[in-house]
């Protein structure tokens, strides 16, 4: 069990937070400390409520104002905080696939670490945000065994919450043999185990 470090802020007031952010962003110089103090100390659902209050208060989109007033890595972090998780995954996958060079590490980091439900949600967000099918884009922008592996992961059909000690030893032997032989057939065997067995089973 992995526990995050950002918890819902107690005594949360989205209207007050939106007002403080508006003052920080619309002044002569952007007060970055105010942005940090608020946006890094609220959970994702609270940040989305702040964005809604900001829109009601100023008639402007908080995400757009962050993009216009900030720059470089600081902008990337602040903007990233304002996305729902599935939308942010979709955003990152889109840029990884459609940029000048395909960012393989980003594709791996996201698709190899999400639950089936998270993959389903990110595919829905990808379709809504970019009017493209994620699996079709993976198919067209990558190739070979790497593409096959990503396509398998993007199906979101991994077993979940199941671990069997008796088959763990058998799977470990199959993986060891596959790594020794390094043939196309054994790469398919690697995919079958690593992309479809539950994370609990893989740890075992």
């Amino acid at each position: 069990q992995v526990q995050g470090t950002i918890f819902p802020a107690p005594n949360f007031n989205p209207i007050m937070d939106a007002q403080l952010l508006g003052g920080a962003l619309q002044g002569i110089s952007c007060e970055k400390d105010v942005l940090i103090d608020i946006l890094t100390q609220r959970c994702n659902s609270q940040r989305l409520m702040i964005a809604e209050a900001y829109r009601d208060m100023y008639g402007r989109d908080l995400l757009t104002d962050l993009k216009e007033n900030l720059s470089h890595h600081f902008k990337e972090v602040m903007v990233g905080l304002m996305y729902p998780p599935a939308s942010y995954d979709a955003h990152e996958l889109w840029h990884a696939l459609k940029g000048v060079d395909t960012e393989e590490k980003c594709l791996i980091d996201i698709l190899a670490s999400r639950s089936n439900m998270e993959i389903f949600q990110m595919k829905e967000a990808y379709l809504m945000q970019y009017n493209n099918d994620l699996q079709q884009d993976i198919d067209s922008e990558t190739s070979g065994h790497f593409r096959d592996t990503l396509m398998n992961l993007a199906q979101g059909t991994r077993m979940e919450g199941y671990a069997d000690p008796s088959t763990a030893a058998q799977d470990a032997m199959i993986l060891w043999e596959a790594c020794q032989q390094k043939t196309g057939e054994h790469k398919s065997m690697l995919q079958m185990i690593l992309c479809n067995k539950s994370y609990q089973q893989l740890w075992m």
Side-chain angles (χ1 to χ4, degrees):
Q1 182 72 25
V2 178
Q3 177 64 55
T5 57
I6 296 179
F7 300 94
N11 305 315
F12 172 61
N13 186 331
I15 296 174
M16 183 179 295
D17 284 348
Q19 189 172 14
L20 290 170
L21 290 173
L25 287 167
Q26 295 176 27
I28 296 175
S29 61
C30 180
E31 299 175 35
K32 296 182 175 65
D33 288 344
V34 174
L35 304 183
I36 295 169
D37 289 344
I38 294 176
L39 296 180
T40 66
Q41 299 302 314
R42 308 291 185 267
C43 68
N44 187 261
S45 61
Q46 289 177 335
R47 290 193 293 269
L48 297 179
M49 291 170 66
I50 293 170
E52 185 176 345
Y54 188 94
R55 187 179 300 108
D56 292 342
M57 189 177 298
Y58 298 105
R60 293 177 58 85
D61 180 60
L62 177 56
L63 196 62
T64 300
D65 282 356
L66 289 170
K67 290 178 180 178
E68 290 179 353
N69 285 278
L70 305 177
S71 60
H72 306 304
H73 294 308
F74 184 65
K75 178 175 75 172
E76 292 176 15
V77 174
M78 291 294 108
V79 168
L81 286 170
M82 298 310 301
Y83 282 95
S87 295
Y88 187 71
D89 279 347
H91 168 81
E92 290 295 288
L93 289 171
W94 169 263
H95 287 283
L97 288 165
K98 298 298 185 178
V100 177
D101 296 311
T102 302
E103 297 179 25
E104 289 86 355
K105 187 177 184 301
C106 177
L107 301 177
I108 296 166
D109 285 347
I110 293 175
L111 292 172
S113 65
R114 302 299 190 258
S115 68
N116 292 339
M117 179 58 69
E118 288 169 335
I119 288 174
F120 172 78
Q121 291 171 342
M122 81 174 65
K123 288 197 292 187
E124 290 286 298
Y126 193 93
L127 183 62
M128 287 183 62
Q129 289 168 213
Y130 305 108
N131 199 31
N132 279 46
D133 181 84
L134 174 60
Q135 287 174 273
Q136 288 180 4
D137 283 352
I138 291 172
D139 186 55
S140 63
E141 300 294 339
T142 60
S143 61
H145 290 290
F146 181 59
R147 176 186 60 199
D148 296 342
T149 303
L150 294 181
M151 291 290 286
N152 194 328
L153 292 170
Q155 291 177 24
T157 54
R158 184 188 295 280
M159 295 175 64
E160 294 187 324
Y162 175 79
D164 177 18
S166 63
T167 59
Q170 180 182 350
D171 288 342
M173 182 60 70
I174 292 172
L175 289 172
W176 184 85
E177 291 177 352
C179 289
Q180 303 309 306
Q181 299 192 27
K182 300 178 182 177
T183 64
E185 179 183 351
H186 282 75
K187 286 178 181 176
S188 298
M189 191 63 69
L190 288 172
Q191 284 184 40
M192 185 185 74
I193 294 175
L194 296 177
C195 297
N196 295 293
K197 298 295 177 106
S198 71
Y199 291 120
Q200 292 88 340
Q201 181 74 6
L202 294 178
W203 295 331
M204 187 173 290

